[in-house]
Amino acid sequence: MVWGILEDKRMGRVPGTVLLTDSSDVPSEYQEIPRELLKRGRGRNAHIILAPQPSDSPNDPLNWPTWRKDAILTIVGLSAAVVGAYGPMLSPGFVEIAADLDITVNTLSQATAWVILLIGLSLFIFNPIAKKIGRRPVYAISSVIMLTGSVWGAVSQNYGSFLASRIYSGVGMAPYEVLVQCTIADMYFVHERATRIAIWNMFLLCGISGGALIAGYIIEDQGWKWTLIWCGILFGILLPLVIFFVPETAYRRQSFEERLVAARTNDSSRGTPERKDAVVEYREKPIAASEAGVQTEQKDSFLRSLRFYSGVYTETPLWKIFLRPLVIFWYPAVLWAFLLYGVTLTWIVVFSVVNAVIFTAPPYNFSVSQTGLISLSPFLLSFIGEVVSGPMNDWICLWLAKKNRGVYEPEFRLPPIIISFLIGVAGFFGFGATVHFQTHWSGPVLCFGLANLSLAFSNASVFGYVIDAHKELSEEAFVAINARNLLTFGLTYFVNDWLARDGVLAVFNVLGTVFVVVNVLTIPLWIYGKRIRAYIARQESLHRFMHED
């Protein structure tokens, strides 16, 4: 038992548990792994054993140069930022837009709810496609939908057309809510993921808050339709970048176990060298792919990397891929992630829905641009949180793995939840209290930012844990987690009525209490997480259904 994490007594090697550092005091289940076959990081990470182990192909995304991986992440991250802004960016001008469209503010907020619902439903369509034929076609289709949807919304003449454009755009927003995490898992090693997840979340959260911040001035100076025009311009710039510089990141490689079997078979035919010499030989010159029993590939040219269809990445039927998120939803790690991420993000979306109602009324009497400026707080705190949380999470994991004799457990992602919990309590409870007691505007604005800061810290733990615990099912897991859009749809659909009936203090006390409850669920996950992973792995019928045919 390591710091309260209960060991499983029936499995020697539990899925998700990996060797990260070269330690002479490694548990018995890892003693048989030949060190000469384990690839390590470079430079200051030379002591880290890479997980997952990359193939020897230059087309394996794990082998791509770091600058190329980061460039891809930047492009899809910027696209995710505009997608994040697209949903809540109209919130500062809800009162003005509702009057222009001759509808109520509550009806306009329901339009946002319908966008969120379509995001949640569309994930179940795009996930099987991305799993079957890769990420690249889905990214391109999504960008085209967002470009055309923005133009449609900008030229709409009535609420019906406006609502239809928003619903259509919601379909295009879906992939950037789930595929970026999968792309990160495709390209980066375990010890690099939390930092990159934090970068993606920084783009997304800063887009959500920064979009409303900028949109307030656009609505006031140019009119609300110009917010959609600017989104169309940005997607017009990003679409060529996606087409030319975001290649396919899905890749079929031999599993680590298959590589070991091939290497051992080859060793037995030519004699196994002395272990000490083999380690030195590997570090000076890696074992050739042909010696390890792995076929090499010719490096793809730039033109070849631009193809939209690069083959089928799984033989699993589409119907089975479609059903898997419904099954994995009930995996304890995924259900925990759904509750923690879903509740926190949904509660933050509530801010964007109610802010215009709260701050344009007495005692604050903010203008549209001033209401948009409220988002400066979450923008800055989200940025700070993402810059800090990702590297901190990776550092904690490496430190705990080192203390655990070089063995990494996915549960090592969970300790930073303590920080996000304390910040979130202050944010959610504090917002309701400061608005209710009519404090200076800086009180609720700061609490709004703290709630976003809490999400920034928790995301690195939530997505990092799910990727590391269920790497092969990451796409299905993220679809299940992002079913939180159904929760968000339900709450945003009636939250303004609830706010008018019970008051802001009662509403945010309920939201804060639920936030506390779902965070406390992290404790049993820390204790029993490894045993749960082992139990799931032992269910043969479940394994056959959930893993590749």
Side-chain angles (χ1 to χ4, degrees), residues 264-329:
R264 284 170 175 167
T265 301
N266 196 274
D267 282 345
S268 64
S269 65
R270 60 186 172 84
T272 304
E274 188 179 344
R275 181 172 299 273
K276 181 177 179 181
D277 294 339
V279 175
V280 174
E281 180 184 353
Y282 172 79
R283 289 180 175 173
E284 292 178 352
K285 182 180 180 181
I287 295 176
S290 58
E291 293 179 359
V294 182
Q295 297 298 316
T296 58
E297 295 178 310
Q298 184 177 0
K299 184 177 180 180
D300 286 345
S301 65
F302 175 72
L303 289 178
R304 183 171 173 77
S305 71
L306 296 180
R307 66 195 190 279
F308 282 94
Y309 178 76
S310 52
V312 174
Y313 290 90
T314 175
E315 303 303 324
T316 305
L318 283 173
W319 67 267
K320 186 180 286 189
I321 302 175
F322 176 83
L323 291 177
R324 282 175 178 172
L326 305 178
V327 177
I328 201 173
F329 178 85

Side-chain angles (χ1 to χ4, degrees), residues 255-518:
S255 69
F256 180 60
E257 289 76 10
E258 289 171 335
R259 289 171 58 80
L260 285 178
V261 170
R264 284 170 175 167
T265 301
N266 196 274
D267 282 345
S268 64
S269 65
R270 60 186 172 84
T272 304
E274 188 179 344
R275 181 172 299 273
K276 181 177 179 181
D277 294 339
V279 175
V280 174
E281 180 184 353
Y282 172 79
R283 289 180 175 173
E284 292 178 352
K285 182 180 180 181
I287 295 176
S290 58
E291 293 179 359
V294 182
Q295 297 298 316
T296 58
E297 295 178 310
Q298 184 177 0
K299 184 177 180 180
D300 286 345
S301 65
F302 175 72
L303 289 178
R304 183 171 173 77
S305 71
L306 296 180
R307 66 195 190 279
F308 282 94
Y309 178 76
S310 52
V312 174
Y313 290 90
T314 175
E315 303 303 324
T316 305
L318 283 173
W319 67 267
K320 186 180 286 189
I321 302 175
F322 176 83
L323 291 177
R324 282 175 178 172
L326 305 178
V327 177
I328 201 173
F329 178 85
W330 300 104
Y331 283 28
V334 177
L335 182 58
W336 165 82
F338 164 81
L339 291 172
L340 186 55
Y341 173 70
V343 162
T344 307
L345 185 55
T346 297
W347 287 191
I348 287 174
V349 171
V350 168
F351 282 104
S352 67
V353 174
V354 304
N355 275 347
V357 176
I358 292 174
F359 287 98
T360 57
Y364 301 111
N365 297 312
F366 281 9
S367 66
V368 173
S369 59
Q370 289 173 327
T371 304
L373 276 174
I374 294 170
S375 297
L376 184 61
S377 172
F379 178 83
L380 292 176
L381 290 181
S382 294
F383 180 82
I384 294 171
E386 297 296 353
V387 169
V388 174
S389 63
M392 181 186 72
N393 197 291
D394 281 336
W395 180 85
I396 289 174
C397 289
L398 291 174
W399 185 82
L400 290 174
K402 183 177 180 181
K403 296 296 182 181
N404 192 34
R405 300 173 298 180
V407 178
Y408 165 78
E409 305 286 359
E411 286 72 29
F412 292 168
R413 296 283 184 196
L414 301 180
I417 293 293
I418 298 172
I419 300 173
S420 65
F421 169 72
L422 296 175
I423 296 172
V425 166
F428 291 113
F429 285 107
F431 185 85
T434 52
V435 172
H436 177 76
F437 293 107
Q438 299 184 354
T439 67
H440 188 268
W441 60 262
S442 60
V445 170
L446 175 61
C447 291
F448 182 22
L450 290 175
N452 280 264
L453 179 62
S454 171
L455 181 63
F457 271 95
S458 66
N459 279 352
S461 295
V462 168
F463 293 114
Y465 180 72
V466 171
I467 288 175
D468 294 346
H470 302 293
K471 165 62 179 75
E472 294 181 8
L473 299 171
S474 58
E475 291 100 327
E476 292 85 352
F478 291 136
V479 170
I481 293 169
N482 279 283
R484 64 90 193 162
N485 285 289
L486 305 180
L487 171 65
T488 309
F489 165 75
L491 187 57
T492 54
Y493 198 83
F494 69 83
V495 68
N496 276 314
D497 289 338
W498 182 21
L499 191 73
R501 185 181 67 248
D502 295 344
V504 68
L505 182 64
V507 169
F508 277 87
N509 278 347
V510 172
L511 301 186
T513 301
V514 175
F515 175 80
V516 169
V517 171
V518 297

Side-chain angles (χ1 to χ4, degrees), residues 123-139:
L123 292 173
F124 290 92
I125 299 173
F126 283 117
N127 170 65
I129 296 174
K131 188 85 172 180
K132 194 78 173 179
I133 63 173
R135 291 60 157 122
R136 176 171 165 78
V138 177
Y139 278 133

Side-chain angles (χ1 to χ4, degrees), residues 59-135:
N59 299 319
D60 187 341
L62 291 173
N63 290 326
W64 290 348
T66 301
W67 67 263
R68 187 184 186 191
K69 300 179 186 179
D70 290 344
I72 294 169
L73 179 58
T74 300
I75 294 171
V76 296
L78 286 171
S79 299
V82 184
V83 166
Y86 190 88
M89 68 182 177
L90 298 177
S91 59
F94 264 16
V95 176
E96 178 181 320
I97 298 170
D100 188 44
L101 294 174
D102 195 25
I103 56 175
T104 65
V105 171
N106 192 52
T107 301
L108 185 57
S109 68
Q110 289 171 1
T112 300
W114 284 111
V115 172
I116 294 168
L117 176 63
L118 261 294
I119 294 173
L121 296 178
S122 300
L123 292 173
F124 290 92
I125 299 173
F126 283 117
N127 170 65
I129 296 174
K131 188 85 172 180
K132 194 78 173 179
I133 63 173
R135 291 60 157 122

